[in-house]
Amino acid sequence: MARGRCPFDPAPELSRRLREEPVSRVQIWDGSEPWLFTRYDDVRAVLADPRVSSDSQKDGYPQQSPGIKARRTRARSFISMDDPDHAAQRRLLTGDFMVKKVERLRPRIQKIVDDLIDEMLAGPKPADLVQAFALPVPSLVICELLGVPYADRAFFHRVSKVLVAKDATPEQSLTALEELLGYLGELVEKKLTDPGDDVLSRLAVEQVATGGMTADEVASMGQLLLVAGHETTANMIALGTTALLQNPDQLAAVRDGDDKLVANAVEELLRYLTIVHTGRRRVALEDLEVAGQHIRKGEGMIAAGEVANRDESRFPEPDKLDVTRKARHHVAFGYGVHQCLGQPLARVELQVAYRTLYRRIPTLRLAVPLDEVKFKHDMVVYGVHELPVTW
Amino acid sequence: MKVVVDQARCVGAGQCVLVAPEVFDQREEDGIVVLLDENPPADLHEQVREAAQVCPALAIELEG
């Protein structure tokens, strides 16, 4: 559903459903009619229910688009598996994204952020904040973490864009996926004989070499981390900045606030913007009841986090951006066992990026009127395509 | 207040560590929750309740 006149709000139709029919059926692109959940409590209940499956191969699973359906039949990663398979794969990575380990990356992330701002300040005005800053920050970080050469970024930025485009055809989607899997598969093979200090090397040595996983399975995991690792944070940096520039008092609070306030602002921006805005998709494994509604086995379910995060029963004055709000219980990272694995990393990246950018460039402003900014209505992850800024 | 954690359910999201670092930690090798204090003092109760509330895997239970 397209977002409305305020580019930061959920689709008006979702807001209407939250008020008038919070549990309802919705027709999706293939003609099927999964259940749509909009209330905060119901969204959490659905996502935490072990009788509800994330397996996109199951009949009734509400596929996001023809392109995404096609690629999920080719490569499965743990986001589309149920436990115990999901837990077994996820646990291979939980150590890499744990809070303390990610905290150790903070100085390196700070250096990346500072260097990119130096470069932007030394370059021409206006600049596109997406290309100059928002995209390179998470891209550099996830490349270093995974052990993917950053020099190849033009290639994986291109294929990644296709993978999150709602209107990509099955052919385009599959071609992009094969290109990325082929590239990562070769990289994993190389790391088998010449491992470095990175996640793909560790998976190559511990899993592929011992027969625990195939190189193709590690490549599938790598593509999930690579795409998720930069499409999300990059959009949060650029869209968050757009929202703050429209709310100068909130931007000033972030710029002048202490670390605690900045961390709080990150939670509020995650809630307010909820960039994964096409619903978390599930299918019922058995008959069950949610909020008094009987759901039958095999029926599709969509938990709309972006509107659940605007549910006034959990967030008073939900449409207001208030960086001092207590918002940590938002569902922007999802909920249940599939909740985002990379969230500690995303938090640190966002804290460092927001904190440093507005402090170092206090005169930062849009170089075009807001209505000329192109928002990503066409992508499964919301954001801005470009953000012309000056200072 | 008595805190009980279920390491088998934990998915290593790390939310509890961010909310109440005096009470929860993560195992170095796999990020799974470690309980540091099963009877936290009263001034930490609010944080512990919040940690239990935001745990996506419902792996934290509070008694009393």
Side-chain angles (χ1 to χ4, degrees):
Chain A
M1 280 180 212
R3 294 207 178 196
R5 223 173 337 143
C6 174
F8 309 117
D9 287 346
E13 172 60 12
L14 280 180
S15 304
R16 185 195 66 73
R17 287 194 192 226
L18 172 63
R19 288 191 308 270
E20 294 169 16
E21 40 177 352
V23 182
S24 54
R25 293 250 191 187
V26 62
Q27 195 177 62
I28 61 172
W29 64 274
D30 61 0
S32 66
E33 293 188 356
W35 291 98
L36 178 73
F37 302 88
T38 55
R39 276 191 302 227
Y40 178 86
D41 288 355
D42 298 345
V43 161
R44 291 224 318 182
V46 166
L47 296 179
D49 195 320
R51 299 166 300 175
V52 171
S53 170
S54 291
D55 185 348
S56 56
Q57 315 263 25
K58 284 208 156 46
D59 286 343
Y61 181 93
Q63 304 283 355
Q64 291 199 335
S65 70
I68 292 174
K69 180 182 179 183
R71 96 179 131 83
R72 285 221 165 139
T73 56
R74 162 62 180 90
R76 293 184 76 206
S77 51
F78 57 93
I79 56 165
S80 54
M81 294 175 187
D82 292 329
D83 285 342
D85 297 346
H86 157 265
Q89 279 213 10
R90 180 175 168 124
R91 282 198 177 204
L92 297 175
L93 297 165
T94 40
D96 297 301
F97 292 94
M98 61 186 280
V99 174
K100 272 195 274 185
K101 215 162 274 184
V102 167
E103 274 302 326
R104 273 174 238 149
L105 297 176
R106 192 180 282 267
R108 175 65 192 137
I109 295 170
Q110 184 69 55
K111 173 87 169 78
I112 287 172
V113 162
D114 279 323
D115 288 352
L116 286 165
I117 294 175
D118 286 343
E119 264 176 59
M120 191 169 90
L121 289 173
K125 280 196 278 192
D128 174 15
L129 190 84
V130 173
Q131 291 301 326
F133 185 70
L135 190 56
V137 170
S139 199
L140 266 159
V141 173
I142 197 70
C143 282
E144 288 189 8
L145 202 66
L146 290 181
V148 173
Y150 186 65
D152 296 335
R153 65 191 177 278
F155 158 71
F156 55 74
H157 286 168
R158 176 176 60 78
V159 293
S160 175
K161 228 176 181 169
V162 178
L163 295 176
V164 295
K166 279 195 227 173
D167 56 0
T169 64
E171 293 71 29
Q172 289 168 329
S173 195
L174 276 175
T175 304
L177 179 65
E178 289 300 347
E179 279 184 73
L180 188 50
L181 289 178
Y183 168 82
L184 289 169
E186 272 177 40
L187 200 58
V188 171
E189 296 288 351
K190 268 187 237 160
K191 287 174 187 292
L192 262 173
T193 49
D194 185 18
D197 180 22
D198 56 66
V199 172
L200 289 182
S201 291
R202 187 173 54 73
L203 290 173
V205 172
E206 289 176 11
Q207 296 298 318
V208 181
T210 61
M213 285 172 89
T214 64
D216 192 56
E217 284 169 334
V218 173
S220 289
M221 202 182 245
Q223 73 92 16
L224 170 69
L225 297 176
L226 191 61
V227 175
H230 73 261
E231 283 294 338
T232 48
T233 313
N235 284 307
M236 269 307 298
I237 293 172
L239 189 64
T241 298
T242 315
L244 287 169
L245 288 171
Q246 298 308 305
N247 293 272
D249 56 326
Q250 300 295 304
L251 188 139
V254 173
R255 189 187 58 223
D256 304 333
D258 59 9
D259 288 351
K260 222 175 144 190
L261 183 125
V262 174
N264 203 74
V266 166
E267 302 304 323
E268 169 65 351
L269 284 159
L270 286 163
R271 176 199 76 84
Y272 181 69
L273 299 169
T274 315
I275 54 166
V276 177
H277 68 151
T278 47
R280 309 278 170 171
R281 311 284 168 130
R282 299 291 189 268
V283 58
L285 288 174
E286 53 186 86
D287 284 16
L288 55 103
E289 211 163 277
V290 181
Q293 180 63 54
H294 190 71
I295 313 290
R296 285 202 190 85
K297 176 182 174 177
E299 287 181 338
M301 305 167 87
I302 300 177
E306 74 266 43
V307 70
N309 277 337
R310 299 293 186 98
D311 183 338
E312 65 181 350
S313 72
R314 291 293 176 261
F315 305 97
E317 291 192 79
D319 297 332
K320 207 171 124 185
L321 176 67
D322 173 5
V323 297
T324 63
R325 178 200 296 277
K326 285 191 87 169
R328 185 182 289 283
H329 53 297
H330 64 72
V331 289
F333 288 120
Y335 191 67
V337 296
H338 287 279
Q339 194 185 54
C340 177
L341 166 75
Q343 55 179 304
L345 178 62
R347 284 190 166 103
V348 171
E349 289 179 336
L350 292 174
Q351 287 164 11
V352 175
Y354 293 144
R355 182 180 179 81
T356 313
L357 183 63
Y358 315 132
R359 236 160 267 214
R360 289 202 50 200
I361 318 182
T363 56
L364 188 77
R365 60 185 189 276
L366 287 187
V368 297
L370 182 68
D371 59 15
E372 283 177 27
V373 174
K374 280 194 218 100
F375 289 88
K376 291 186 168 176
H377 298 286
D378 50 342
M379 300 282 164
V380 295
V381 181
Y382 194 58
V384 291
H385 285 287
E386 290 167 7
L387 192 66
V389 291
T390 191
W391 52 89
Chain B
M1 176 188 277
K2 184 167 186 270
V3 186
V4 181
V5 296
D6 184 344
Q7 291 184 322
R9 291 184 87 145
C10 175
V11 295
Q15 299 256 47
C16 57
V17 182
L18 288 170
V19 179
E22 296 90 347
V23 181
F24 304 99
D25 198 358
Q26 285 173 289
R27 250 183 351 219
E28 190 67 25
E29 62 274 25
D30 58 7
I32 296 306
V33 63
V34 176
L35 185 59
L36 299 176
D37 186 351
E38 62 171 19
N39 296 111
D43 62 332
L44 293 177
H45 286 185
E46 195 192 325
Q47 283 162 260
V48 173
R49 270 188 216 103
E50 189 184 349
Q53 203 231 339
V54 297
C55 172
L58 307 170
I60 302 169
E61 266 192 62
L62 306 178
E63 297 166 3

